[in-house]
Amino acid sequence: MVGAPTPRHPLGKALSHGIGLRLLVLIVLFSTLVTAISTVIQLYLDYRRDVGAIEGRLDEIERSSLASLAGSLWHVDVDQLRRQVEGLIRLPDMQAVEVREAEGAARPLVVAVRLREGGPVLARDLPLVYNDRGTERLIGHLHAEATLTGVYSRLIETAVVILVSQGIKTFLVSLFTLYIVYRLVARHLVDIAGYAQRFDIKDPAPPLALRRRHPGRPDELDQVVSAFNAMRMDLQSAWEQLRTANAELEDDIVRREAHEREMRRLVDRLTRTNAELERFATISSHDLQEPLRAITSYAQLIEKRYGDHLDDEGREFLGYMTGGALRMKALVNDLATYARIPGHFEPPRPVELGAVCAGVLAGMKDAIEAADAEIVVGTLPVVEGDPERLAHLFRNLLDNAIKFRHQDVAPRVSVTAEPDPGGGWVVSVADNGIGIGATNQDVFEIFRRLHPASAYPGTGVGLAICRRIVEHMGGRIWLDSRPGQGTTIRFTVGVPPEAAAE
C-alpha cells in the first residue's frame, strides 16, 4: 500500500520559492563577497609576512655569515666551508647554498649544497671579502637561494580553512535569518492570505486571529488584522441588513435597488480592501528582499518592528547587539590608536636605538626648546624590534618627562641602557619632574590619570600605549618614582621569547 505523500513544512516551502529563497540567495551572495575580500586580504598579509621572514633570514646570512665564510675560503678550509654551508641550508625554506672562489684561480674552489630544483625562489648573490692586513680582497661569492614553495602551500591551506569555515558559518546564519523572518512575518502573511481566500459571506468564519503571542503594543500585523476583521463585520452586517430588507420589502423595487446599490458599495469596499491587503503583502515582500546593510541597522529594524514578539532571551540578545554597536561607535575614536598597535607591527629586525631616539628628539625640537629642557642620551644598543613603534614609545615617554615638570625648574631627562640579566636590554628614561606619589592604581591602565586635566592636559592613554608596545615586543615596563624628585620609567627590549615568558 502506497502511503499518502508527507506534507511539506511551511519553512521548506519558503526555502523552495518566494521571498525566503531570494532572501537566502542575497544573504549568501553578500556574505560570499565579504568572505572572498577578507580572504584575499588575509592571504596577502600572510604572503607578505612569510616572504618578509625569508628575506630577513637572507639578511641575517649577509650580516652574520659572510666574514666567517670569507675566512674559511681564504684559508682554503674546505671542511669548515662545507659545515658552514650545511648549517645555512638547514635554515627554514633554504634550498641551495653555494660558495664559489673568485674568477682568476686556476681551479676555482666550489662548495655547494642543493636540496631541490625548480619552483619560485628568492636568491642573493653576496661578495666574500677578506681583510688581509688592512687590505680588503674580493676572494669569492656566496649564492643563497630560498624556495617559496612552502609559502604557497601554507597560503593554499589557509585559504581552504577560511573558505570552508566561513561558508559553513554563512550558511547557518542565513538559515537562522530566514527562520526568524518566517516566524515573525512570512507565516502570518500566508495565514492572512489563506483566510481571505476561504472567506465566505454566506457562511462567516470566526474573526481572523494570528497564531502568535499577543504583543504588549499593536504592530503593523495587528493593524492589518483589525482592519480585516472590521471589514468582515461591516460586510456581515450589510449582508444581514440586505437579507432583512429583501424579506420585508420584496415588493418594494426601489428599496430593493437601494439595498442592491448598498450591496455593490460594500462589495466595492471589500474589493478595495482586498486590493490594499494585496498591495501591502507585495510591498512587504519587496522590502524583505533587500539584504541587511549592517548589523546596527538590522538590529534596530528588528527591535522597531518585531521586538515585542521576542521572548526575554531574544530581547536580551537584541539589546546586546544594539548596545554593543552604539558603545563601539562611541569608543572607536578614543581607542583607535590604542587598538591599532598590534596590527601595525613590522617583523622584528635589528634597530639602532640611538638613531631612533635621535629622530624623536629632532621631531620634538620645538617642545624641548619651549620647555628649556636638557635631554642627555647615553650609548644605546642595537636591539630587535619595530623602529616605528620604538619611536612612538620614546616619543610618549619623553613627552611625559617634559610635560610633568616643576613650574620653576627646567626639565632634565636622561636616556640610558644596560644589559638585562634575563637577556636583551633595560632602557631607562629618567626625569627630575613632579614624580608620582604612592598609589594602588595602575598608572599604565588606559584612561588612568593621577593629575587633573586642567593642570596637565592629556588623554590618559599615553602610558597605556607604551605598555602595549613593550608587551607586544615581548618585554615589560615599570616605573620608580618619588614625589617632587622625578620619575624613572624602565622597559626591556630585545628579550628572547623564553625570557619574556618568564
Side-chain angles (χ1 to χ4, degrees):
M1 178 178 179
V2 180
T6 303
R8 298 179 62 185
H9 191 275
L11 182 57
K13 295 181 180 179
L15 285 173
S16 62
H17 63 274
I19 63 175
L21 179 60
R22 292 192 289 273
L23 179 61
L24 180 62
V25 170
L26 289 174
I27 293 176
V28 170
L29 288 177
F30 180 75
S31 299
T32 300
L33 177 61
V34 173
T35 299
I37 294 175
S38 62
T39 301
V40 170
I41 294 174
Q42 181 64 46
L43 294 180
Y44 174 74
L45 295 177
D46 290 350
Y47 174 80
R48 289 288 301 275
R49 181 197 62 201
D50 291 347
V51 171
I54 293 175
E55 291 179 342
R57 285 191 285 274
L58 293 176
D59 292 340
E60 183 64 23
I61 291 174
E62 181 178 356
R63 287 191 303 270
S64 61
S65 300
L66 292 185
S68 60
L69 289 171
S72 300
L73 182 59
W74 176 261
H75 295 96
V76 196
D77 190 344
V78 178
D79 292 338
Q80 178 64 17
L81 278 174
R82 182 165 297 279
R83 284 193 293 271
Q84 290 173 315
V85 170
E86 289 176 350
L88 294 177
I89 201 67
R90 294 191 187 99
L91 293 176
D93 297 311
M94 296 299 296
Q95 76 171 12
V97 178
E98 177 184 282
V99 175
R100 179 179 294 274
E101 192 175 2
E103 298 292 338
R107 297 180 60 186
L109 176 62
V110 178
V111 177
V113 176
R114 178 174 290 275
L115 300 181
R116 63 185 69 85
E117 295 285 349
V121 298
L122 288 177
R124 295 279 180 88
D125 287 303
L126 306 172
L128 297 177
V129 178
Y130 184 76
N131 191 325
D132 180 18
R133 290 173 293 183
T135 302
E136 293 187 347
R137 301 179 184 277
L138 177 63
I139 61 173
H141 294 85
L142 169 65
H143 176 77
E145 191 174 292
T147 179
L148 296 178
T149 302
V151 175
Y152 293 153
S153 298
R154 291 190 290 272
L155 291 179
I156 293 174
E157 293 176 359
T158 301
V160 170
V161 170
I162 292 176
L163 292 177
V164 170
S165 61
Q166 291 295 329
I168 294 174
K169 183 178 72 174
T170 298
F171 181 73
L172 294 178
V173 171
S174 300
L175 286 182
F176 179 74
T177 302
L178 180 61
Y179 176 75
I180 292 298
V181 172
Y182 168 76
R183 288 286 302 175
L184 295 180
V185 179
R187 67 188 184 104
H188 300 309
L189 295 178
V190 173
D191 290 343
I192 293 173
Y195 186 91
Q197 292 175 352
R198 295 188 302 271
F199 184 78
D200 185 359
I201 195 172
K202 297 179 180 180
D203 184 16
L208 173 62
L210 300 180
R211 298 170 297 167
R212 62 171 184 166
R213 293 183 179 180
H214 185 71
R217 297 175 59 185
D219 57 10
E220 292 86 346
L221 291 176
D222 289 325
Q223 295 175 10
V224 173
V225 171
S226 297
F228 200 92
N229 285 331
M231 175 200 67
R232 166 186 170 277
M233 294 299 297
D234 291 343
L235 186 58
Q236 290 179 354
S237 176
W239 176 260
E240 292 296 331
Q241 292 175 10
L242 182 59
R243 289 181 59 187
T244 301
N246 286 337
E248 295 177 354
L249 303 171
E250 292 181 355
D251 297 332
D252 192 347
I253 303 302
V254 175
R255 293 190 63 183
R256 185 175 65 180
E257 290 177 352
H259 281 289
E260 289 177 353
R261 287 193 299 270
E262 179 67 11
M263 184 64 182
R264 286 194 296 269
R265 185 184 66 82
L266 293 176
V267 171
D268 291 340
R269 181 179 176 184
L270 175 62
T271 303
R272 289 193 301 271
T273 303
N274 282 333
E276 292 174 358
L277 177 61
E278 292 178 4
R279 186 168 64 254
F280 169 81
T282 301
I283 293 174
S284 298
S285 299
H286 176 73
D287 291 340
L288 290 173
Q289 292 177 34
E290 294 295 331
L292 300 177
R293 302 299 183 187
I295 296 176
T296 304
S297 61
Y298 184 61
Q300 291 174 347
L301 180 62
I302 295 177
E303 183 178 17
K304 178 180 178 182
R305 293 193 176 184
Y306 315 117
D308 295 332
H309 309 312
L310 299 174
D311 55 16
D312 293 339
E313 187 177 31
R315 285 191 294 272
E316 183 181 5
F317 290 164
L318 188 60
Y320 288 158
M321 291 172 60
T322 304
L326 294 177
R327 286 192 300 272
M328 179 62 70
K329 181 179 179 181
L331 290 174
V332 66
N333 290 331
D334 293 336
L335 300 178
T337 302
Y338 181 79
R340 279 197 301 264
I341 289 175
H344 285 66
F345 264 86
E346 295 293 334
R349 62 177 185 271
V351 179
E352 294 186 7
L353 280 186
V356 172
C357 189
V360 172
L361 292 177
M364 298 177 61
K365 180 180 179 181
D366 293 342
I368 293 173
E369 293 178 352
D372 192 23
E374 177 184 351
I375 300 179
V376 179
V377 180
T379 301
L380 299 181
V382 176
V383 300
E384 290 287 322
D386 179 351
E388 181 179 351
R389 294 305 168 193
L390 286 170
H392 198 162
L393 174 62
F394 273 120
R395 190 178 304 111
N396 283 2
L397 294 179
L398 292 173
D399 181 69
N400 278 359
I402 295 174
K403 180 195 304 182
F404 296 100
R405 65 181 186 271
H406 295 287
Q407 296 298 326
D408 55 348
V409 179
R412 297 294 180 264
V413 184
S414 65
V415 182
T416 58
E418 58 184 4
D420 185 1
W425 294 87
V426 176
V427 181
S428 302
V429 178
D431 62 57
N432 64 339
I434 61 175
I436 299 174
T439 177
N440 294 327
Q441 298 179 352
D442 182 4
V443 298
F444 294 99
E445 183 181 6
I446 190 168
F447 299 131
R448 175 67 65 193
R449 297 184 58 90
L450 302 180
H451 305 283
S454 59
Y456 298 97
T459 63
V461 183
L463 288 181
I465 291 177
C466 292
R467 178 165 67 180
R468 196 167 179 85
I469 292 174
V470 172
E471 291 181 350
H472 195 79
M473 293 190 299
R476 66 188 192 280
I477 186 170
W478 68 99
L479 62 80
D480 298 319
S481 182
R482 292 184 179 181
Q485 299 183 21
T487 300
T488 299
I489 296 183
R490 297 181 173 89
F491 63 90
T492 60
V493 64
V495 181
E498 59 273 13
E502 296 175 0

mmCIF file with all atom_site columns, all heavy atoms in Angstrom, residues 299 341-342 351:
data_model
loop_
_atom_site.group_PDB
_atom_site.id
_atom_site.type_symbol
_atom_site.label_atom_id
_atom_site.label_alt_id
_atom_site.label_comp_id
_atom_site.label_asym_id
_atom_site.label_entity_id
_atom_site.label_seq_id
_atom_site.pdbx_PDB_ins_code
_atom_site.Cartn_x
_atom_site.Cartn_y
_atom_site.Cartn_z
_atom_site.occupancy
_atom_site.B_iso_or_equiv
_atom_site.pdbx_formal_charge
_atom_site.auth_seq_id
_atom_site.auth_comp_id
_atom_site.auth_asym_id
_atom_site.auth_atom_id
_atom_site.pdbx_PDB_model_num
ATOM 1  N N   . ALA A 1 299 ? 19.618 45.251 13.575 1.00 0.00 ? 299 ALA A N   1
ATOM 2  C CA  . ALA A 1 299 ? 19.139 45.093 14.946 1.00 0.00 ? 299 ALA A CA  1
ATOM 3  C C   . ALA A 1 299 ? 18.065 46.128 15.275 1.00 0.00 ? 299 ALA A C   1
ATOM 4  O O   . ALA A 1 299 ? 17.060 45.823 15.923 1.00 0.00 ? 299 ALA A O   1
ATOM 5  C CB  . ALA A 1 299 ? 20.307 45.227 15.915 1.00 0.00 ? 299 ALA A CB  1
ATOM 6  N N   . ILE A 1 341 ? 47.606 49.285 17.511 1.00 0.00 ? 341 ILE A N   1
ATOM 7  C CA  . ILE A 1 341 ? 49.014 48.964 17.751 1.00 0.00 ? 341 ILE A CA  1
ATOM 8  C C   . ILE A 1 341 ? 49.373 47.532 17.363 1.00 0.00 ? 341 ILE A C   1
ATOM 9  O O   . ILE A 1 341 ? 50.320 47.307 16.614 1.00 0.00 ? 341 ILE A O   1
ATOM 10 C CB  . ILE A 1 341 ? 49.376 49.240 19.225 1.00 0.00 ? 341 ILE A CB  1
ATOM 11 C CG1 . ILE A 1 341 ? 49.406 50.753 19.456 1.00 0.00 ? 341 ILE A CG1 1
ATOM 12 C CG2 . ILE A 1 341 ? 50.730 48.637 19.591 1.00 0.00 ? 341 ILE A CG2 1
ATOM 13 C CD1 . ILE A 1 341 ? 49.627 51.147 20.884 1.00 0.00 ? 341 ILE A CD1 1
ATOM 14 N N   . PRO A 1 342 ? 48.632 46.480 17.806 1.00 0.00 ? 342 PRO A N   1
ATOM 15 C CA  . PRO A 1 342 ? 49.076 45.121 17.468 1.00 0.00 ? 342 PRO A CA  1
ATOM 16 C C   . PRO A 1 342 ? 49.095 44.844 15.975 1.00 0.00 ? 342 PRO A C   1
ATOM 17 O O   . PRO A 1 342 ? 49.946 44.106 15.490 1.00 0.00 ? 342 PRO A O   1
ATOM 18 C CB  . PRO A 1 342 ? 48.042 44.237 18.193 1.00 0.00 ? 342 PRO A CB  1
ATOM 19 C CG  . PRO A 1 342 ? 47.477 45.103 19.255 1.00 0.00 ? 342 PRO A CG  1
ATOM 20 C CD  . PRO A 1 342 ? 47.477 46.490 18.702 1.00 0.00 ? 342 PRO A CD  1
ATOM 21 N N   . VAL A 1 351 ? 67.514 47.161 15.171 1.00 0.00 ? 351 VAL A N   1
ATOM 22 C CA  . VAL A 1 351 ? 67.207 48.599 15.213 1.00 0.00 ? 351 VAL A CA  1
ATOM 23 C C   . VAL A 1 351 ? 68.237 49.284 16.095 1.00 0.00 ? 351 VAL A C   1
ATOM 24 O O   . VAL A 1 351 ? 68.514 48.835 17.219 1.00 0.00 ? 351 VAL A O   1
ATOM 25 C CB  . VAL A 1 351 ? 65.786 48.844 15.767 1.00 0.00 ? 351 VAL A CB  1
ATOM 26 C CG1 . VAL A 1 351 ? 65.501 50.344 15.824 1.00 0.00 ? 351 VAL A CG1 1
ATOM 27 C CG2 . VAL A 1 351 ? 64.742 48.129 14.933 1.00 0.00 ? 351 VAL A CG2 1
#
